Amino acid sequence: MIHKSEIEKYPGSMEELVEEIGNLKYDSLAIFLELLAHKIQKDGQKDKERNRVKLSNNLFKSAEKIKESKEFMDKAWVICEPFTN
């Protein structure tokens, strides 16, 4: 797979994309983070199978930190959810 510098199906800038994702409800943002962590974990596994040890280890660590972030976002949702419609 060739990693890209831009998202083909999104016409805006990276900054705009960050704003769009950041404006999601926290429960939806938590789902996004979980999916992103899973994708990075899969990439890490593929690199591990290719003996790219340093790369795979860093991808695994990144995925773990994103999962941790997802857990905090879940807690933020629990706080905010009663105040949403």
Side-chain angles (χ1 to χ4, degrees):
M1 171 185 187
I2 297 174
H3 293 278
K4 303 171 185 172
S5 297
E6 298 177 349
I7 299 173
E8 287 180 20
K9 296 178 185 175
Y10 182 76
S13 69
M14 284 288 189
E15 290 81 8
E16 291 169 320
L17 180 58
V18 166
E19 284 294 319
E20 292 291 331
I21 292 169
N23 287 336
L24 290 171
K25 291 183 348 185
Y26 294 146
D27 59 336
S28 296
L29 185 51
I31 292 167
F32 172 82
L33 291 171
E34 185 173 27
L35 293 169
L36 179 61
H38 180 71
K39 165 65 170 116
I40 292 172
Q41 181 102 23
K42 281 188 348 185
D43 289 352
Q45 186 59 42
K46 289 177 185 176
D47 285 311
K48 182 179 179 183
E49 291 167 5
R50 293 183 181 111
N51 267 345
R52 299 173 179 163
V53 177
K54 288 182 183 179
L55 177 57
S56 65
N57 284 341
N58 280 285
L59 292 173
F60 290 146
K61 288 176 185 175
S62 179
E64 284 303 313
K65 293 295 182 181
I66 294 170
K67 288 178 191 176
E68 185 178 337
S69 179
K70 183 256 188 230
E71 292 171 11
F72 283 107
M73 196 56 61
D74 284 334
K75 291 176 183 179
W77 175 245
V78 168
I79 294 166
C80 292
E81 196 260 339
F83 303 101
T84 62
N85 293 333

